[in-house]
Amino acid sequence: MSVKFTLLALLHQRPMHGYELGKQFASIMEADWDVKPGQIASTLARMKDGGLVDYEIAESSDAPDRKVYSITDEGRADL
């Protein structure tokens, strides 16, 4: 399974921000696949450009704003 399809499958369950996606990815793959945060971020950016995911900015007063990603209809069809 590719990083792209793993992220789409996770987002099919519910919207998540990048850090949460990384934690979920690591828990699913355990030690078998060490994906770096930069790889997740670049994959999400490509999927956004391809119309597979979209995001909303979640503002926070005590932490940096986060992009909360969700899968689009096109992403569901690709999955």
Short mmCIF file of all heavy atoms in Angstrom, two decimals, residues 7-8 11 43-45 47-55 69-72 75:
data_model
loop_
_atom_site.label_atom_id
_atom_site.label_comp_id
_atom_site.label_asym_id
_atom_site.label_seq_id
_atom_site.Cartn_x
_atom_site.Cartn_y
_atom_site.Cartn_z
N LEU A 7 -3.14 7.30 3.44
CA LEU A 7 -3.70 8.57 3.91
C LEU A 7 -5.16 8.73 3.48
O LEU A 7 -5.99 9.18 4.28
CB LEU A 7 -2.86 9.74 3.40
CG LEU A 7 -1.43 9.83 3.94
CD1 LEU A 7 -0.67 10.98 3.27
CD2 LEU A 7 -1.42 9.99 5.45
N LEU A 8 -5.47 8.35 2.25
CA LEU A 8 -6.87 8.42 1.81
C LEU A 8 -7.76 7.52 2.66
O LEU A 8 -8.87 7.90 3.03
CB LEU A 8 -6.99 8.05 0.33
CG LEU A 8 -6.53 9.09 -0.68
CD1 LEU A 8 -6.57 8.52 -2.09
CD2 LEU A 8 -7.36 10.36 -0.59
N LEU A 11 -8.32 9.19 5.98
CA LEU A 11 -9.23 10.33 5.85
C LEU A 11 -10.65 9.89 5.50
O LEU A 11 -11.60 10.64 5.73
CB LEU A 11 -8.70 11.31 4.81
CG LEU A 11 -7.44 12.06 5.24
CD1 LEU A 11 -6.88 12.87 4.08
CD2 LEU A 11 -7.73 12.96 6.44
N THR A 43 2.93 14.51 0.26
CA THR A 43 1.87 13.68 -0.33
C THR A 43 0.52 14.37 -0.19
O THR A 43 -0.27 14.40 -1.14
CB THR A 43 1.83 12.29 0.33
OG1 THR A 43 3.11 11.66 0.17
CG2 THR A 43 0.76 11.41 -0.28
N LEU A 44 0.25 14.96 0.97
CA LEU A 44 -1.01 15.70 1.16
C LEU A 44 -1.09 16.88 0.19
O LEU A 44 -2.16 17.15 -0.37
CB LEU A 44 -1.13 16.19 2.61
CG LEU A 44 -1.44 15.11 3.64
CD1 LEU A 44 -1.26 15.66 5.05
CD2 LEU A 44 -2.85 14.57 3.46
N ALA A 45 0.03 17.59 -0.02
CA ALA A 45 0.03 18.72 -0.95
C ALA A 45 -0.28 18.25 -2.38
O ALA A 45 -1.07 18.88 -3.09
CB ALA A 45 1.37 19.43 -0.90
N MET A 47 -1.93 15.53 -3.20
CA MET A 47 -3.32 15.08 -3.24
C MET A 47 -4.27 16.27 -3.25
O MET A 47 -5.31 16.22 -3.91
CB MET A 47 -3.61 14.16 -2.05
CG MET A 47 -2.89 12.83 -2.16
SD MET A 47 -3.41 11.53 -0.98
CE MET A 47 -3.60 12.36 0.54
N LYS A 48 -3.92 17.36 -2.58
CA LYS A 48 -4.73 18.58 -2.60
C LYS A 48 -4.73 19.15 -4.02
O LYS A 48 -5.79 19.49 -4.56
CB LYS A 48 -4.17 19.60 -1.61
CG LYS A 48 -4.71 21.00 -1.74
CD LYS A 48 -6.07 21.14 -1.12
CE LYS A 48 -6.46 22.60 -0.98
NZ LYS A 48 -7.47 23.03 -1.94
N ASP A 49 -3.54 19.23 -4.63
CA ASP A 49 -3.45 19.73 -6.01
C ASP A 49 -4.23 18.86 -6.98
O ASP A 49 -4.78 19.36 -7.96
CB ASP A 49 -1.99 19.80 -6.46
CG ASP A 49 -1.20 20.89 -5.74
OD1 ASP A 49 -1.82 21.79 -5.11
OD2 ASP A 49 0.04 20.82 -5.79
N GLY A 50 -4.30 17.56 -6.71
CA GLY A 50 -5.03 16.62 -7.56
C GLY A 50 -6.52 16.53 -7.25
O GLY A 50 -7.24 15.77 -7.90
N GLY A 51 -6.99 17.28 -6.27
CA GLY A 51 -8.41 17.28 -5.93
C GLY A 51 -8.87 16.09 -5.11
O GLY A 51 -10.07 15.87 -4.97
N LEU A 52 -7.92 15.32 -4.56
CA LEU A 52 -8.29 14.14 -3.79
C LEU A 52 -8.62 14.45 -2.34
O LEU A 52 -9.37 13.72 -1.69
CB LEU A 52 -7.17 13.09 -3.84
CG LEU A 52 -6.75 12.65 -5.24
CD1 LEU A 52 -5.58 11.67 -5.15
CD2 LEU A 52 -7.91 12.04 -5.99
N VAL A 53 -8.03 15.52 -1.82
CA VAL A 53 -8.31 15.97 -0.46
C VAL A 53 -8.49 17.48 -0.47
O VAL A 53 -8.09 18.17 -1.41
CB VAL A 53 -7.18 15.60 0.54
CG1 VAL A 53 -6.97 14.10 0.63
CG2 VAL A 53 -5.88 16.31 0.22
N ASP A 54 -9.09 17.97 0.57
CA ASP A 54 -9.21 19.40 0.79
C ASP A 54 -8.93 19.64 2.26
O ASP A 54 -8.83 18.68 3.03
CB ASP A 54 -10.60 19.90 0.42
CG ASP A 54 -10.62 21.39 0.08
OD1 ASP A 54 -9.55 22.04 0.17
OD2 ASP A 54 -11.69 21.90 -0.25
N TYR A 55 -8.77 20.88 2.66
CA TYR A 55 -8.55 21.15 4.07
C TYR A 55 -9.22 22.45 4.49
O TYR A 55 -9.53 23.30 3.67
CB TYR A 55 -7.06 21.18 4.42
CG TYR A 55 -6.26 22.30 3.79
CD1 TYR A 55 -6.29 23.60 4.31
CD2 TYR A 55 -5.46 22.07 2.69
CE1 TYR A 55 -5.55 24.62 3.73
CE2 TYR A 55 -4.72 23.08 2.11
CZ TYR A 55 -4.77 24.35 2.64
OH TYR A 55 -4.04 25.37 2.06
N TYR A 69 -7.46 18.03 7.15
CA TYR A 69 -7.72 17.45 5.83
C TYR A 69 -8.95 16.56 5.85
O TYR A 69 -9.22 15.89 6.83
CB TYR A 69 -6.51 16.64 5.36
CG TYR A 69 -5.32 17.49 5.03
CD1 TYR A 69 -4.41 17.85 6.01
CD2 TYR A 69 -5.11 17.94 3.74
CE1 TYR A 69 -3.31 18.64 5.72
CE2 TYR A 69 -4.03 18.74 3.43
CZ TYR A 69 -3.13 19.08 4.42
OH TYR A 69 -2.06 19.88 4.12
N SER A 70 -9.66 16.55 4.73
CA SER A 70 -10.78 15.63 4.53
C SER A 70 -10.71 15.12 3.09
O SER A 70 -10.17 15.78 2.20
CB SER A 70 -12.11 16.33 4.80
OG SER A 70 -12.25 17.45 3.96
N ILE A 71 -11.25 13.95 2.91
CA ILE A 71 -11.24 13.33 1.58
C ILE A 71 -12.39 13.92 0.76
O ILE A 71 -13.46 14.21 1.29
CB ILE A 71 -11.34 11.79 1.70
CG1 ILE A 71 -11.08 11.10 0.38
CG2 ILE A 71 -12.67 11.37 2.30
CD1 ILE A 71 -10.91 9.59 0.49
N THR A 72 -12.16 14.12 -0.53
CA THR A 72 -13.19 14.63 -1.43
C THR A 72 -13.88 13.46 -2.11
O THR A 72 -13.47 12.30 -1.99
CB THR A 72 -12.56 15.53 -2.51
OG1 THR A 72 -11.67 14.75 -3.30
CG2 THR A 72 -11.82 16.72 -1.90
N GLY A 75 -11.45 11.84 -4.22
CA GLY A 75 -10.55 11.01 -3.43
C GLY A 75 -11.19 9.66 -3.09
O GLY A 75 -10.52 8.63 -3.12
#
